[in-house]
Amino acid sequence: MIFTMKSRRCHHHQLLFTFLLFFSQKIELLTAEAFTGTYGINYGRIADNIPSPDEVATLLRAAKIRNVRIYDADHSVLEAFSGTGLQLVVGLPNGYLKDMSANASLAMSWVKENVQAFLPKTSICGIAVGNEVLGGGDNELWEALLGAVKNVYKAINKLGLADGVQITTAHSQAVFANSYPPSSCIFEENVAQYMKPLLEFFSQIGSPFCLNAYPFLAYTYNPENIDINYALFEKTNGIYDMKTDLHYDNMLDAQIDAAYAALEDAGFKKMEVIVTETGWASRGDDNEAAATVINARTYNYNLRKRLAKKKGTPLRPKMVVKAYIFAVFNENLKPGPTSERNFGLFKPDGNISYDIGFHGLKSSSADSSLLSLKAVQAQGLSKSYILILTISAAASFLFLKQ
């Protein structure tokens, strides 16, 4: 068969079209994807001895941790994360909730100043409205939470940001009446009247249920009845849930499925559970004997392996578990027991607290020898523009081939 110049040209045009279509989809993914993979981390900053936000951005990129949560919307962090590709969830602290609930214009101003002003260079993909409000000690905050959530959502919706910025709030285990066995879990009666309207709204806007889940705390409070290997993802007999005929070989899966059981009981069977905090302290007080470097390394190493499998839980096998680890650093100014100040994967100087496969700042110098995406963007080039340059180069190659 004779392959004419015209047919060759058509063939190359078809290849170019396919190439352009592929990269246009990639550009779309860069703007719409909220949680990349299954592993994220919490970046708490209640400390006076931790690295600068710029150094933290370098550290996280070297560790290939893209999903990051902070507990406020500090502008120095938002500026440092600009152009890094890190996917950031900012926090609206509990102290703002009452005012935000009562005043929609205040919520609009906050969103404009702390979210819209930094988009799109800083990839802000979510706003966490409050933290562990329901089940906490301030009932006035319970009453303000839903109103604050709605006003913040109305603000991002009016500003055209709702497709890329997700609204959530994180809950502690205190919202549950019972979590053992997992299938028996329901919401506390006094919490349910606030929880159900919140879940109804989240269901309407497509938000997940965010859970702070700590096998460390469960074991610390009840070491006589819990096998520490079960809490640490180590070899164990586990537990058996007779109602669902399911076996659990680690506590985190059981805690997540307890949340799914409570959601199903409340009428929200399809809602996804995301773990917004989990971790293990490397040091504690005398009554926190499990807070050791060995246990912290074991938990976080095994957790990382478990998340890398990209699998679900026994009750929701198709719902891949996603988790934000607590935390980047030990925070020396946090109040409370010693364990509260010792959850960090990294020391204040940027070196690793223990080895779970990450590298500290000093061993990440190779990262700075490369032309980073941030450096390119500082010269006025966006991610989309870089892709367009790549497309243009490929297009030129294809036409030259003709």
Side-chain angles (χ1 to χ4, degrees), residues 213-259:
Y214 285 93
F216 165 74
L217 293 177
Y219 176 80
T220 297
Y221 296 147
N222 192 15
E224 296 84 8
N225 296 310
I226 296 174
D227 178 4
I228 194 168
N229 290 324
Y230 177 62
L232 292 171
F233 299 95
E234 293 285 84
K235 190 174 181 180
T236 177
N237 291 329
I239 68 163
Y240 173 67
D241 191 324
M242 292 182 64
K243 181 178 177 182
T244 55
D245 192 29
L246 293 173
H247 178 263
Y248 291 86
D249 60 11
N250 72 82
M251 185 183 288
L252 184 65
D253 278 6
Q255 289 179 331
I256 295 169
D257 275 356

Side-chain angles (χ1 to χ4, degrees), residues 26-342:
K26 288 296 182 187
I27 292 172
E28 180 115 357
L29 283 172
L30 282 171
T31 57
E33 199 168 325
F35 196 117
T36 304
T38 58
Y39 195 95
I41 201 161
N42 288 277
Y43 172 24
R45 304 186 321 283
I46 306 176
D48 61 6
N49 60 353
I50 59 178
S52 70
D54 280 303
E55 290 176 302
V56 174
T58 299
L59 178 69
L60 296 177
R61 291 184 65 207
K64 295 182 171 56
I65 301 174
R66 288 192 59 188
N67 308 292
V68 187
R69 289 170 57 88
I70 59 175
Y71 293 89
D72 53 21
D74 185 273
H75 288 192
S76 66
V77 176
L78 300 185
E79 288 164 1
F81 280 34
S82 173
T84 61
L86 298 169
Q87 303 282 350
L88 188 63
V89 175
V90 299
L92 178 68
N94 291 355
Y96 288 76
L97 297 186
K98 294 174 188 176
D99 290 339
M100 293 290 179
S101 179
N103 192 334
S105 63
L106 194 62
M108 175 63 80
S109 297
W110 189 91
V111 170
K112 283 182 176 178
E113 292 170 12
N114 298 289
V115 178
Q116 186 186 40
F118 294 90
L119 291 169
K121 288 186 177 181
T122 302
S123 299
I124 300 173
C125 62
I127 303 171
V129 181
N131 185 51
E132 298 188 348
V133 173
L134 301 183
D138 189 340
N139 281 33
E140 289 184 4
L141 290 181
W142 296 23
E143 295 173 0
L145 180 60
L146 179 58
V149 164
K150 285 185 174 181
N151 281 341
V152 171
Y153 178 76
K154 286 175 186 174
I156 66 162
N157 199 34
K158 283 183 180 178
L159 295 171
L161 306 176
D163 287 341
V165 180
Q166 190 176 67
I167 306 301
T168 59
T169 190
H171 304 287
S172 74
Q173 298 275 342
V175 300
F176 302 129
N178 182 36
S179 59
Y180 181 83
S183 62
S184 69
C185 189
I186 59 173
F187 290 112
E188 283 278 6
E189 189 175 348
N190 62 334
V191 168
Q193 60 179 310
Y194 298 98
M195 182 67 79
K196 288 186 178 180
L198 182 68
L199 295 176
E200 186 64 49
F201 184 68
F202 280 159
S203 180
Q204 292 169 11
I205 65 174
S207 292
F209 181 87
C210 293
L211 175 67
N212 294 345
Y214 285 93
F216 165 74
L217 293 177
Y219 176 80
T220 297
Y221 296 147
N222 192 15
E224 296 84 8
N225 296 310
I226 296 174
D227 178 4
I228 194 168
N229 290 324
Y230 177 62
L232 292 171
F233 299 95
E234 293 285 84
K235 190 174 181 180
T236 177
N237 291 329
I239 68 163
Y240 173 67
D241 191 324
M242 292 182 64
K243 181 178 177 182
T244 55
D245 192 29
L246 293 173
H247 178 263
Y248 291 86
D249 60 11
N250 72 82
M251 185 183 288
L252 184 65
D253 278 6
Q255 289 179 331
I256 295 169
D257 275 356
Y260 276 123
L263 288 169
E264 185 170 348
D265 178 74
F268 300 92
K269 183 177 180 179
K270 294 182 179 180
M271 185 171 286
E272 180 183 14
V273 174
I274 291 180
V275 177
T276 36
E277 286 184 21
T278 190
W280 198 284
S282 60
R283 186 169 168 241
D285 294 321
D286 290 342
N287 63 343
E288 298 175 307
T292 67
V293 171
I294 292 173
N295 287 342
R297 182 200 175 276
T298 300
Y299 181 81
N300 282 298
Y301 178 76
N302 288 338
L303 172 61
R304 192 179 175 202
K305 283 201 305 182
R306 189 257 177 269
L307 294 174
K309 293 177 181 177
K310 297 184 179 180
K311 68 174 187 177
T313 59
L315 188 62
R316 295 285 188 273
K318 295 181 180 179
M319 197 76 80
V320 175
V321 174
K322 302 171 185 175
Y324 290 88
I325 313 312
F326 190 86
V328 179
F329 298 109
N330 292 335
E331 297 174 73
N332 68 328
L333 299 182
K334 286 193 78 173
T338 299
S339 61
E340 283 290 326
R341 295 178 287 282
N342 289 279

Side-chain angles (χ1 to χ4, degrees), residues 58 61-62 361 364-372 375:
T58 299
R61 291 184 65 207
L361 273 176
S364 302
S365 58
D367 186 61
S368 62
S369 67
L370 301 174
L371 180 61
S372 69

